Amino acid sequence: MSTLATVPALQPARLEETLRRFAALSEPGPGVSRLAYTRLERQAHDLFASLLADLGIAAYTDAAGNTIGELAPDAEPRPGAIGTGSHLDSVPQGGAYDGTVGVVAALAVAAAASAGPRPRHRPWRFVAFAAEEGARFGQACNGSRIVAGLTGAADLRQLTDRTGTTMAAAMTECGLAPERVETARWDPRDWRAFVELHVEQGTVLEHRRVPVGVVDTVSGSTRLRVCLTGVASHTGGTPMDNRRDALAAAAECVLDCERLAVAATDVNTRITVGALTVEPGAITIIPGRVVFTVDVRETDYGRQRAAAHAVGQRCRTVAARRGVDVEVEELADTPPVSLSREVAAVAHAAATALGLPAEVLASGASHDTQQISRLMPAGIVFVPSRGGLSHSPGEFSTADQVAAGAAVLLETMYRLDATA
Ligand code: GLV
Ligand code: MN
Ligand code: MN
């Protein structure tokens, strides 16, 4: 690698240490649990702000919980900021890398740029987005959707977690201001470009032995909640031909979801039932009610909607055959996006200039930059994920891989800074 390898802020050990500091902010148990709009997520944002403050960069947290710091230009200022960052919340029992790698790399970029001799002509903004994971409230990318004007106060009062707490109530509990989130919107005229570093969460880079991925497309996601209501009754007393078992019906629906995705012509069609609750949930009671979630991911919006529709149809067919009532509710719908070719070309050239081979690929996971791309040219750079594991305590990228990604991010920022 080039001279960037000698930049102190980009040293693997230093990045690893910062990742460890964030990972320590977790509920007890396996992996990292730092859910959206919780005390721990807020502590992670406070740590981000204090690490920026150590660099002399003041940061603020907006009404939606996004934390943003800005480094002013130091030469022939031009309007239009360039930004980088990612998210600090996690799924339950997730890993230490999803989102946090992009925030830690943003901090490294901030440190390198503020100490470095290379001129910066534009404001550089460092962002930790709030509530990216849809794991708690169903809807992903809440903080970035708010800044992009894609959601607002009314939606925050509708979304609930599994305990019935609304997103608005969780935000208020954390000291945020859900009724004022419109004030957090970004003005695209104030921006030039955005680039996010993230772990791949797949195996393309590992299989091809390539250290850097440049994302062209981010999959969309349609999320459903299916509620099956049968009749709870005695497991010993009720004959097998006189049952309306909600869980047996759900089991068929789950397998139908898998069959739909496996039969799809495109490898980017992914359908998953990730959460399921059984009521009353006792060994001696036929399940009377089952609620499960379905996550439909696609890189083509037409196919995404068709697949979500097919899931609903299959569930209705199974329920009708088994005499079970069914309700299918759409929790969230985010279309796929094509990211900026300009930013992708700049990131690719930056990697090449550093002697790092880069591969263009699609992202199966959602990202804040998917939302930000509605406002300005935006791109995502990936580093490899060991075994493709993510949303799991087994999530891992080596410190050298993260450092290579951070170096590409820094070089990309300088090159975007220099664009007209
Ligand atoms: C975000 O991690 C997602 O669920 O894609
Ligand atoms: Mn993520
Ligand atoms: Mn995630």
Side-chain angles (χ1 to χ4, degrees):
M1 222 162 81
S2 81
T3 50
L4 278 173
T6 61
V7 175
L10 301 180
Q11 291 309 304
R14 189 156 156 186
L15 292 160
E16 198 168 35
E17 170 55 21
T18 314
L19 278 165
R20 241 195 310 270
R21 289 185 70 179
F22 282 105
L25 298 171
S26 170
E27 298 289 350
V32 173
S33 297
R34 193 165 60 232
L35 298 198
Y37 295 137
T38 56
R39 181 184 50 86
L40 283 165
E41 187 209 40
R42 292 300 98 204
Q43 285 176 7
H45 278 249
D46 292 346
L47 175 57
F48 174 65
S50 85
L51 293 171
L52 283 175
D54 291 346
L55 300 169
I57 299 173
Y60 68 95
T61 296
D62 67 17
N66 303 303
T67 303
I68 304 165
E70 178 174 310
L71 187 57
D74 57 7
E76 300 156 33
R78 279 183 225 143
I82 53 172
T84 187
S86 191
H87 61 98
L88 285 170
D89 61 323
S90 80
V91 298
Q93 301 189 2
Y97 297 80
D98 176 2
T100 309
V101 157
V103 174
V104 168
L107 286 164
V109 164
S114 53
R118 210 159 149 184
R120 284 171 286 99
H121 304 289
R122 299 176 180 278
W124 285 27
R125 297 198 182 126
F126 307 99
V127 186
F129 291 106
E132 190 269 357
E133 298 290 358
R136 181 171 178 197
F137 294 102
Q139 175 68 64
C141 301
N142 194 63
S144 48
R145 280 166 54 84
I146 287 171
V147 303
L150 299 170
T151 188
D155 293 340
L156 309 178
R157 292 191 289 269
Q158 297 300 319
L159 294 163
T160 54
D161 69 7
R162 64 171 68 193
T163 69
T165 303
T166 64
M167 195 184 250
M171 291 171 76
T172 305
E173 179 80 4
C174 289
L176 301 172
E179 66 292 344
R180 286 196 298 104
V181 289
E182 274 73 12
T183 61
R185 279 175 77 156
W186 290 358
D187 180 349
R189 288 168 302 186
D190 189 30
W191 287 88
R192 172 66 183 87
F194 194 90
V195 58
E196 173 177 5
L197 184 74
H198 204 281
V199 289
E200 182 199 335
Q201 309 177 283
T203 50
V204 173
L205 298 178
E206 189 176 77
H207 284 168
R208 299 192 187 159
R209 296 177 188 277
V210 169
V212 177
V214 176
V215 178
D216 57 356
T217 310
V218 185
S219 292
S221 167
T222 302
R223 295 173 183 184
L224 308 174
R225 177 155 51 208
V226 180
C227 176
L228 294 164
T229 309
V231 175
S233 186
H234 199 290
T235 49
T238 316
M240 294 310 290
D241 63 356
N242 188 26
R243 293 179 174 216
R244 292 164 65 197
D245 182 331
L247 182 57
E252 274 199 54
C253 296
V254 172
L255 290 176
D256 271 358
C257 287
E258 188 185 49
R259 283 187 198 108
L260 274 171
V262 169
T265 47
D266 195 278
V267 291
N268 293 311
T269 308
R270 291 163 191 174
I271 307 179
T272 310
V273 174
L276 185 148
T277 55
V278 181
E279 293 170 22
I283 193 167
T284 53
I285 310 175
I286 297 165
R289 186 167 184 269
V290 169
V291 180
F292 63 89
T293 59
V294 188
D295 186 8
V296 179
R297 307 272 184 139
E298 251 295 355
T299 49
D300 175 272
Y301 193 50
R303 285 200 304 260
Q304 182 181 322
R305 294 305 305 169
H309 181 73
V311 166
Q313 290 290 93
R314 294 277 184 110
C315 292
R316 284 185 197 95
T317 305
V318 169
R321 182 160 34 75
R322 289 177 162 271
V324 165
D325 292 334
V326 63
E327 273 173 66
V328 181
E329 183 193 353
E330 189 169 298
L331 298 177
D333 184 58
T334 306
V337 298
S338 299
L339 297 178
S340 157
R341 289 184 187 197
E342 179 201 14
V343 177
V346 171
H348 206 286
T352 306
L354 297 176
L356 295 165
E359 185 92 18
V360 176
L361 75 180
S363 170
S366 312
H367 297 291
D368 291 307
T369 296
Q370 185 173 1
Q371 320 302 334
I372 300 307
S373 71
R374 308 293 189 105
L375 300 179
M376 68 190 86
I380 301 174
V381 174
F382 276 166
V383 292
S385 295
R386 186 175 68 189
L389 272 185
S390 186
H391 286 186
S392 146
E395 194 174 74
F396 182 71
S397 306
T398 67
D400 285 343
Q401 287 170 328
V402 174
V408 173
L409 183 67
L410 177 63
E411 182 61 26
T412 303
M413 293 285 284
Y414 275 120
R415 287 172 182 234
L416 289 172
D417 184 88
T419 55

